[in-house]
Amino acid sequence: MELVNSKEKEKLVKNGLHNDEKEIEEQKQCHKSLKVHIELDCIAVTLFLVGLCMRLYHLEEPKSIVFDELHYGKFVGMYMKRIFFFDQHPPFGKQLVAAVAYLAGFDGEFKFDSIGSPYPASVPIFALRLVPAISGALLLPVAYHVVLELGFSQWTGALAGFFLLCDNALLTQSRFILMEPMLLLLSLLGLLCVLKFRKLREQPYSVKWWLWLSLAATFLTLAVCVKYIGGLTYSLCMAILLRDYWHLLGNRSLPSGALLRQFAGRLCVLIAIPSAVYLAVFYVHLSVLNHAGPHDTIMTSAFQASLEGGLASITHGQPLQVAHGSQITLRHTHGRPCWLHSHDAVYPIRYSDARGSSHQQQVTCYTFKDVNNWWIVKRPDRNDMVVSEPVDAIQHGDVIQLVHGITSRALNSHDVAAAMSPHNQEVSCYIDYNVSMSAQNLWRVEIINEDQTGKVWHAIRSMVRLVHVNTSQALKFSGRQLPDWGFHQHEVVTDKHLVQDDTVWNVEEHRYTKAEDQKERERELVNAEMIPMSATKLTFWDKFLELQYKMLFSNTESVQNHMYSSDPLEWPLLTRGVAYWVSRDSNAQVHLLGNIIVWWSASMGVVVYSMLLVWYTLRRRRACYDLPDYLWTQFVSIGEVLLPGYLIHYLPFFLMDRTLFLHHYLPACVFKVLLLAATVEHIYLLLRNHIKFKMVSVVFQMVIFVWLLIILWVFRKFCVLSYGTTALSVNDVLSLRWRWSWHLILHRNVHL
């Protein structure tokens, strides 16, 4: 450093005073003019613009349904027509697409019936695909800034952005009506805000402190509202914030009260904002979708009856109180929608395993509405089955009999092993019900939600458990399917474990019996008509809580083999892709494949970083400090954010019992790519600082340059599989099959 003489010091002081006076004058004029400072990062802007152009290029091509556009397009169409639909993922991403589609004039009439079906001219394809495309482009500058916030150089951020820009999988996923681009963008935005907040630990309660924390909570929650897998990024960010607070606890200069206030402030923001955002998303969802549709059968009868049309047109206006003489259908409340059913057929004398049965009338759970689903509620001490005046209402704890409406046989259970669930008791209709064994036909009504609906058994609203009096076991839907002799309907049993979802039922359709004669009652059941009325009212909280339960615990996807499904072990080395679409006239196709050079290099980067981390940790344990403090801090930031981010987004898939595809790996892949760029900078700094020969650094830079050219060439070669606009010959397709496990679609009769 150069010494400053006394005259220079005096000059600096004068300049300082002059500057202070100038700042005071500017503050006085602050109320007269508002100054806005905008900083543009040329690298970030370039990444965004190039990424946007790549995604908007021929965005309307192919003009056919591509992969999961089949599902998400249907959901958008249902938003247009306000028809309720059920999806196991939250609706925010679909809402964004639907909002743009609405502004573009989409009417929702197109059915999205099958992959490959052509879009008619009335469907605004560009608008439907616009939100994912913009999200995919915005992902690039956000990833760039995440790298900068971790303490790396702009060139490293640009390198990470280049890797993501040249990844064919991200390009493909961003060009169609798919949710991953919004999920990735919101997740990285949340992480970026957390990293910016972490730098403000010395400025608690400042405007920026509150702003970045609030934005982090908002973006992370919106990511969860696109897909629940966004909760993995949320967990990562919460771990980062907890570690940051752990560092604060080690600051002896902070009193305990200040630490508690900081903890309370963070906790309030991280509870209040996510709760408000999550509820707001579902409030919009449930407010818009108020019409019945094909998906509402998975919901309870009360939920269905709250929607306009559908069940509401059948059940509204029906009697509310279930009484002696009521004709009812009993619906299994949770899981697969089905109704308690019986028919004029008996259990086989012996089952395939040689066990004997009661050979009584079968009782099943049937997944379709049918006249054989009707039962008549009867008090044991009354012989008639007609509703009297005043109504003899059934209450919680009352003992009843259920008589099948068509066959007039009573619901029965006894100490006989069930057909498919031998650890449970069989349920049947006793053929000789009018003669004896009345004790085995008795059921006690237990209203589960008595505190909400009252002691009287109500149609639709009351959730009941029917407990067999003689054996103290509850009527249960077992979920097992009966063989041919049971017409492939579902098994009903009784179970000694009373408290479980599968023992809960509710009355869906309800009438009062008027006829004494059996034949007249049958005519009532077959020919009765209900007058369509308006929907039953149900509060937002009732609908919200039921929908959450169904989304979290109703598994509507069966695990099955799929030609393009893959295991997590296959993802890091890009063993298998996914066919999204193929032309009917040529070999032009859309196939999800990443840039194999980027993916393999990133996987190697994870290995190299992990080995360096173990090596440095062991060396530092031996008091050998190989890295200067700034380089060690930078290296550790990778292990605090990027490596855990990769593992958190990758390892949970090994525990998932569902069909998995390559696109499930994309969140982990983004973290892996960022880790690769950071590791490259670390290795470069090691070479520059520890090897005196300047030529080594030059050679390393040349290797990196050649490597980037290869990545660009591979990206360019496989772009035809991202756009699907190029007609390929057989040789073209074969030249793209770099691995035997890449099942590219090939029409061999096409010659170009």
Side-chain angles (χ1 to χ4, degrees), residues 168 712-721 732 735-736 738:
N168 303 80
L712 187 61
W713 177 79
V714 172
F715 170 73
R716 177 66 184 86
K717 182 175 181 62
F718 282 87
C719 269
V720 293
L721 299 181
D732 291 334
S735 69
L736 293 172
W738 285 12

Side-chain angles (χ1 to χ4, degrees), residues 88 91 112 167 193 196 220 225 238 363 395 399 407 459 530 537 547 573 583 592 625 629 633 698 735:
Q88 285 192 310
F112 292 89
D167 183 58
C193 294
K196 287 184 174 294
L220 291 171
C225 289
M238 293 305 102
V363 173
Q395 298 189 26
V399 175
T407 63
M530 303 298 288
K537 298 296 183 183
L547 184 57
L573 296 180
S583 172
L592 184 70
Y625 302 100
D629 290 341
T633 301
V698 175
S735 69

Side-chain angles (χ1 to χ4, degrees), residues 420-554:
M420 309 303 295
S421 307
H423 54 287
N424 296 127
Q425 283 188 175
E426 177 191 270
V427 174
S428 64
C429 274
Y430 186 50
I431 291 178
D432 205 11
Y433 135 79
N434 289 316
V435 177
S436 62
M437 300 183 68
S438 60
Q440 297 195 21
N441 300 326
L442 302 181
W443 301 85
R444 185 174 67 254
V445 177
E446 295 184 355
I447 302 176
I448 301 170
N449 57 343
E450 178 189 3
D451 55 335
Q452 300 173 14
T453 63
K455 292 186 176 181
V456 176
W457 188 4
H458 289 154
I460 300 291
R461 295 166 53 193
S462 296
M463 303 297 166
V464 301
R465 184 173 286 118
L466 298 174
V467 180
H468 188 241
V469 173
N470 194 46
T471 59
S472 298
Q473 298 195 26
L475 187 71
K476 174 186 174 182
F477 164 74
S478 74
R480 297 176 179 271
Q481 195 168 21
L482 297 171
D484 292 342
W485 55 258
F487 308 100
H488 301 287
Q489 297 175 17
H490 289 83
E491 181 187 47
V492 173
V493 298
T494 59
D495 196 323
K496 61 183 178 181
H497 300 293
L498 304 185
V499 182
Q500 51 180 304
D501 290 342
D502 287 329
T503 61
V504 181
W505 305 78
N506 75 279
V507 171
E508 186 170 88
E509 296 180 69
H510 181 212
R511 307 170 189 146
Y512 283 161
T513 306
K514 299 176 182 178
E516 287 276 7
D517 182 72
Q518 166 65 14
K519 291 185 178 180
E520 288 294 327
R521 287 201 302 269
E522 288 185 18
R523 279 193 287 270
E524 279 185 6
L525 292 172
V526 174
N527 300 321
E529 295 181 359
M530 303 298 288
I531 301 174
M533 302 284 284
S534 59
T536 302
K537 298 296 183 183
L538 203 65
T539 67
F540 163 73
W541 286 106
D542 291 334
K543 296 170 75 173
F544 171 76
L545 293 175
E546 180 181 336
L547 184 57
Q548 293 305 296
Y549 181 90
K550 296 290 186 180
M551 291 171 66
L552 293 174
F553 300 107
S554 295

Side-chain angles (χ1 to χ4, degrees), residues 150 188 191 195 198 229 231-241 243 605-606 609-610 613 634-653 665 667-676 678-679:
L150 290 172
L188 279 194
L191 175 60
L195 296 178
R198 191 174 64 168
I229 204 71
L232 298 177
T233 311
Y234 200 103
S235 301
L236 170 68
C237 292
M238 293 305 102
I240 293 172
L241 292 175
R243 194 174 191 282
V606 173
Y609 177 82
S610 301
L613 180 61
Q634 186 188 70
F635 183 80
V636 168
S637 68
I638 306 175
E640 290 179 341
V641 178
L642 300 182
L643 182 61
Y646 172 68
L647 297 176
I648 286 174
H649 288 83
Y650 178 47
L651 297 180
F653 286 101
Y665 185 61
C669 186
V670 169
F671 279 93
K672 182 174 70 168
V673 168
L674 300 185
L675 187 149
L676 171 64
T679 304

Side-chain angles (χ1 to χ4, degrees), residues 48-61 126-127 129-135 137 171 174-175 723:
F48 170 69
L49 292 178
V50 175
L52 186 63
C53 291
M54 291 168 56
R55 282 152 178 78
L56 296 183
Y57 176 73
H58 284 299
L59 187 61
E60 294 184 344
E61 297 291 338
F126 188 91
R129 294 172 176 173
L130 182 61
V131 173
I134 294 177
S135 299
L171 174 62
S174 301
R175 286 180 42 80
Y723 290 103

